[in-house]
Every structure is written in C-alpha cells, then in structure tokens.
Amino acid sequence: MGNYKLVLAYEGTNYHGFQRQPHLPTVQGELEEALERVASPTSPLYAAGRTDAGVHAKGQVVNFHGTLRLEPAALPRALNALLPPDIVVVSCQEMEEGFHARRSAQSREYAYYFHVGGSPSPFYRRYTFHVDGELDLRSMEEALQIIIGEHDFASFCRHEEGKSTVRKVMAAGLERRGELLAVRVRANAFAWMMMRMLCGSLLEVGRGKWSPERFRAVMAARDNAGCAPALPPQGLFLEKVTY
Amino acid sequence: MGNYKLVLAYEGTNYHGFQRQPHLPTVQGELEEALERVASPTSPLYAAGRTDAGVHAKGQVVNFHGTLRLEPAALPRALNALLPPDIVVVSCQEMEEGFHARRSAQSREYAYYFHVGGSPSPFYRRYTFHVDGELDLRSMEEALQIIIGEHDFASFCRHEEGKSTVRKVMAAGLERRGELLAVRVRANAFAWMMMRMLCGSLLEVGRGKWSPERFRAVMAARDNAGCAPALPPQGLFLEKVTY
C-alpha cells in the first residue's frame, strides 16, 4: 500500500474535462481505466485542478492510494501504452501518506495563449485563441498588475453556491514569443472559469476597448455582469502545480 | 483574367496528401471546392510541392489562372471562411502571366521535426517524431554536410519511372530549441520521399547506430536498399518556396 503522485500532460480537445462523468469521455475516466490494469487503487483519484472541457494540461497532478503491480518508475511507460495518445503520464512517485494532490498544493499556474497574427494558423488553432491585429501589451500588463495579491474575483468567475471567490494571485505577467502571447497567472487556487473570464476582459484592454481603469472598476464591482465574455477553452493550459 | 498565386498553410493529418484523388479528402480538393465559390478558374491548380498524406505545410505555394469575384487582398479571408480550419490561405497576389508555382520555383525548404524528450507529448504528437533519449547532434551535422551540393539521391528516395533522382541541396542544418530538433534542408527540388528517407538514416547516425561514414557510403551506393526506414509523415513540413 502506498500513496502515488502522477504528473500528467493532456490535450483536452476530445474530452469533457478532467472529471469523470457518466457516458462521456473524460481524462479521469481514461486514466482510471488504464490504472486498473497496472495497479489496485483503494482510493479515488484526487486532482490538483479540475480542468473544464477542452482545457489542456502540461503539468496536472493527481494522487491515489493503493498498490502497484510494477515499480513506480516503470508506471509511466506502462500507462502510456494503455492510454490514448492525447493523455501522457510524465512521472510517478511514491509520496508520504498525507500527500493530497488538491489539498497539499500551494499554487497552480495557468497560462492562456493568444495567437496574435494576420492569418489563423492550422497548427495553433487547437492551442490558442486567434486575435486579428496587434494588442496593446503595455495596457494589458498594467491591468494584470491589478490582480496581484488577495482579491475577491467574483467579477471574473462563475459562482458556485456557498463557495468563496477570494483567491490570492502570487504572480501574473505576459510572455511574447513571435506570434504567441501567453498570459501567465500563478495563484493559490482558481475560481471556476476565472482564467477564461479574466483573459476575456484583458483582451478588451489589449484591443483598446477598455482602459486598465475600467478593468479595475469591473473587478472592484465584484459582480460578473460587467465582465467581458469568457474566452474559449482551447487557449488555456494548466501549466504547473507547486507543493 | 489573371494569374493568381496563393500561399497556404495546412495540417496534413486528415488529408490524403495535397494532390486531388477521387473520393478521398485532399488539400487540393478542399481548396478547389472553396475557390469555385469566389473565383472562376480557367486552369488547374499548380502546386510547388506535392506533399504526401499526413505531411504539413507552412508555406505551400499554388497558382491558377482565371477571374476573381473579389479583390486579391480580400480572397484569403473569403476562402478561409469556406475552408476547414486545418487549411489556411495566408496570402493572394496577382502575378505575371508566365508565373508557375512549380516550374518557377528556385528552391523548396522542408523541415523534419523531432521531439527529443523523455515522454511523448500530447501537443507535439501530430507535428513531430518522438525520439526517446538524446541524439548525437555533432555526428548528425557531419552527415548533413555530406548532402550539400548536387548529388544523386537514389539511396534516399522512392524511384519514379523515368525520373532523375539528382537534386541540388543548397543548405542543410539542424536547429535545436528546447525539446524540438528540426532538420532543415533547402534544395532546388526534392525526390519522392526524400526528406523522410534522409531523416530516417540521419536518425540512425544520431542514435549512434550508423557512423557518418556509413551514411556517406549508403548515399554513394545510389540504391535505396541500404537506406534506413522512412520516418512517418507527421514530422515533415514544407516550410517555404523561393522564386
């Protein structure tokens, strides 16, 4: 009996999100099915981030208790042979009994990728949101600074009954590489739809339709009625979870 | 009446190559169908490179004669609205009467992309060939130098009845960026399967199974019996055509 941590990468395009749902393809469903052939789990699978339908992950973390039929180091290759090619187990490690992928996580890092270029690209279309014309990066940076710290993100999320919308953002910034622009945010946790709604409003700033001050006012209102439309899932990646 | 040059990018995954074939999805088939709605072509579509099934293009060039129902500058957007998202028209330009996408081309540049990393990646799988473990880049560079110049590439292609296998390679080199390794070759033209067969043998050199001298000897034999297996199509991109 042990407690095992897996790091996963997956393309979310063909899944109805991470979390298992009856009769629908999910990352958890595929992973649990493969796991049963190489391990005997005695607990559910706990995940650091509950990625929505179409959202990708480079560094999702899950854990489960149980026994393995192989050495931990041999598990990734065995699982990858059983899993569809859009889900990859990067590593497997035995952890102390108390480790919990969700509750032990200190921060999550998500990135939303824009493709800023004249023509949409057949290669980026599954992994980015295409923006026609240039963006005002300086104003976007200015707006991003506003979210750093502990804030109520009620304006930039879908509310879940009885759940707080206060989160602590440790870092937020832009990264430009050629035609790709990433909005990278690290926080203790993310409210539901937070990145896609934040980035939708940030895009209005980038396009010059909103000033950073309007962004600040929308955030201060703590009401998502003022938020710009959420961006589609394919630009969003769960990049990394830190413990 | 005019002669129009289009630059195209496409993901080849879902097509049986560029060239039209009855009852099979092809890039040419999709493009001609879309073109008929915005233009009246009076010639076939000529293409600079006949990419095989599963091969991608960032800069394929085609031309056709006929009349447009819009300005050339408006054609890309109109065509992209009609085309599936894995085929994108990047630009349209009116050319002099004698321009021919294939015959006027001075050189083609192809790149074959390897993903050199521990785990296969769900994001690179459609666009790279995954290699487990490190490659000897210095020996690969040495072997690549051998192909520069005018040579008979009979060892590194599938023969087509009555066609010469002599080609002139202007440039060949490696590009490493993180876990991606590109083999980039520019030549006046490429023989059938030449890049995938060249790169298959180059991979043997990179893995230390072949010396650069063996690569040289295989090439000098002008017989593809000595060639290593061709690599799969998904790592290959037609990058650019120069006129």
Side-chain angles (χ1 to χ4, degrees), chain A residues 58-132:
Chain A
K58 292 184 188 169
Q60 169 75 288
V61 177
V62 304
N63 79 295
F64 66 95
H65 297 257
T67 51
L68 304 189
R69 266 163 254 150
L70 326 113
E71 287 305 301
L75 207 74
R77 189 179 287 264
L79 284 172
N80 292 338
L82 298 166
L83 285 164
D86 47 8
I87 303 176
V88 171
V89 176
V90 177
S91 66
C92 173
Q93 203 185 342
E94 185 163 5
M95 304 299 283
E96 72 278 7
E97 193 55 24
F99 173 83
H100 189 284
R102 181 168 52 79
R103 287 198 296 262
S104 309
Q106 303 218 317
S107 67
R108 283 92 174 154
E109 184 180 305
Y110 278 87
Y112 197 94
Y113 290 85
F114 293 98
H115 173 220
V116 186
S119 315
S121 156
F123 309 111
Y124 292 150
R125 72 198 156 92
R126 289 191 185 87
Y127 312 116
T128 63
F129 180 70
H130 179 252
V131 178
D132 222 352

Side-chain angles (χ1 to χ4, degrees), chain A residues 9-11 14 56-58 77 80 85-90 119-123 125-127 132 177 237, chain B residues 9-11 14 56-58 77 80 85-90 119-123 125-127 132 177 237:
Chain A
Y10 50 83
E11 180 188 321
N14 297 324
H56 315 297
K58 292 184 188 169
R77 189 179 287 264
N80 292 338
D86 47 8
I87 303 176
V88 171
V89 176
V90 177
S119 315
S121 156
F123 309 111
R125 72 198 156 92
R126 289 191 185 87
Y127 312 116
D132 222 352
R177 199 163 68 180
F237 286 73
Chain B
Y10 51 83
E11 180 187 322
N14 297 325
H56 315 297
K58 292 184 190 170
R77 191 180 287 263
N80 291 338
D86 47 9
I87 303 177
V88 171
V89 176
V90 176
S119 315
S121 156
F123 309 110
R125 71 199 157 91
R126 289 191 185 86
Y127 312 115
D132 220 352
R177 199 163 69 181
F237 287 72

Side-chain angles (χ1 to χ4, degrees), chain A residues 45-235:
Chain A
L45 209 56
Y46 305 108
R50 192 184 52 178
T51 57
D52 281 326
V55 174
H56 315 297
K58 292 184 188 169
Q60 169 75 288
V61 177
V62 304
N63 79 295
F64 66 95
H65 297 257
T67 51
L68 304 189
R69 266 163 254 150
L70 326 113
E71 287 305 301
L75 207 74
R77 189 179 287 264
L79 284 172
N80 292 338
L82 298 166
L83 285 164
D86 47 8
I87 303 176
V88 171
V89 176
V90 177
S91 66
C92 173
Q93 203 185 342
E94 185 163 5
M95 304 299 283
E96 72 278 7
E97 193 55 24
F99 173 83
H100 189 284
R102 181 168 52 79
R103 287 198 296 262
S104 309
Q106 303 218 317
S107 67
R108 283 92 174 154
E109 184 180 305
Y110 278 87
Y112 197 94
Y113 290 85
F114 293 98
H115 173 220
V116 186
S119 315
S121 156
F123 309 111
Y124 292 150
R125 72 198 156 92
R126 289 191 185 87
Y127 312 116
T128 63
F129 180 70
H130 179 252
V131 178
D132 222 352
E134 267 310 313
L135 294 175
D136 177 350
L137 302 190
R138 190 187 294 243
S139 295
M140 289 173 80
E141 283 280 13
E142 200 181 321
L144 264 180
Q145 294 310 305
I146 299 169
I147 70 168
I148 295 177
E150 188 168 281
H151 300 285
D152 186 343
F153 287 95
S155 299
F156 296 129
C157 68
R158 273 197 208 145
H159 301 183
E160 294 180 279
E161 194 65 32
K163 285 199 184 173
S164 163
T165 51
V166 174
R167 298 290 186 278
K168 189 177 162 190
V169 172
M170 289 98 155
L174 298 182
E175 272 173 27
R176 180 76 190 247
R177 199 163 68 180
E179 294 189 335
L180 291 182
L181 175 71
V183 176
R184 197 173 285 282
V185 180
R186 188 159 60 83
N188 66 332
F190 286 77
W192 191 24
M193 295 286 288
M194 180 170 148
M195 270 299 275
R196 292 163 58 188
M197 289 171 76
L198 258 178
C199 289
S201 294
L202 203 62
L203 181 58
E204 299 296 306
V205 175
R207 283 171 163 157
K209 293 185 186 167
W210 286 23
S211 63
E213 291 65 39
R214 175 160 171 195
F215 182 92
R216 186 193 299 275
V218 166
M219 178 156 144
R222 293 192 283 168
D223 178 347
N224 67 18
C227 180
L231 297 185
Q234 84 274 2

